[in-house]
Amino acid sequence: MNDEARFLGEQSYVELTTFRRTGAPVATPVWIAPDGEDLLVVTVDNVGKTKRLAHTARVELRPCDVRGTVVPNAPRYAGRARVDRDRAAVARVKRAIGRKYGWWYRALTTVEPVLERLPGRKPRATIVVTDVVLLEP
């Protein structure tokens, strides 16, 4: 894992920016965790960011707070992302996020097995971010 990815993996929250077909950016604050050479994001599937990643792998990332507020002059990074819906990939991201966020994440996911059985519940997916590089400020 390069230094840029390592830095992002250490952040509590990261603004993940995906791009519409028009090129318009859409930013979302996310939890992110390093795992091997990848950065992993857990998400609900079939939402805007997973749909946008279906047509472009381009993403940008910046450190932020829980509300998505980016500190002025925060570094901006570019990367490539893909959505992995495989059960093993979802288990992988849950382990990585659990290792990083500890009891807080486990507390939030305690009821998840029950909620997953409810009608209309969207499955989880993994966003795998690779090839992270620092963009010019």
Side-chain angles (χ1 to χ4, degrees):
M1 176 175 294
N2 65 27
D3 290 341
E4 291 85 358
R6 189 171 292 107
F7 172 76
L8 287 168
E10 293 170 353
Q11 303 306 304
S12 295
Y13 302 94
V14 172
E15 177 189 74
L16 174 71
T17 301
T18 53
F19 296 87
R20 293 188 171 124
R21 290 182 193 275
T22 63
V26 180
T28 307
V30 296
W31 280 353
I32 193 164
D35 189 58
E37 292 297 311
D38 301 325
L39 292 172
L40 305 178
V41 174
V42 65
T43 186
V44 174
D45 199 3
N46 296 315
V47 294
K49 59 185 165 278
T50 59
K51 292 175 183 178
R52 289 185 292 277
L53 287 170
H55 66 81
T56 181
R58 176 180 163 222
V59 293
E60 291 184 4
L61 306 109
R62 295 189 303 172
C64 69
D65 67 15
V66 68
R67 291 190 174 109
T69 304
V70 176
V71 177
N73 301 316
R76 191 166 50 106
Y77 299 87
R80 300 191 55 74
R82 72 179 190 282
V83 178
D84 194 339
R85 295 169 173 89
D86 181 77
R87 238 177 172 27
V90 173
R92 176 186 177 207
V93 70
K94 287 181 178 182
R95 282 191 307 273
I97 297 284
R99 277 192 308 270
K100 180 175 176 182
Y101 293 94
W103 70 270
W104 179 240
Y105 178 73
R106 288 190 295 278
L108 289 174
T109 59
T110 301
V111 296
E112 193 168 286
V114 174
L115 295 175
E116 286 176 348
R117 294 187 183 110
L118 295 176
R121 173 79 172 175
K122 291 183 178 181
R124 297 285 181 190
T126 303
I127 297 174
V128 181
V129 180
T130 59
D131 304 326
V132 176
V133 295
L134 179 64
L135 294 173
E136 293 298 319

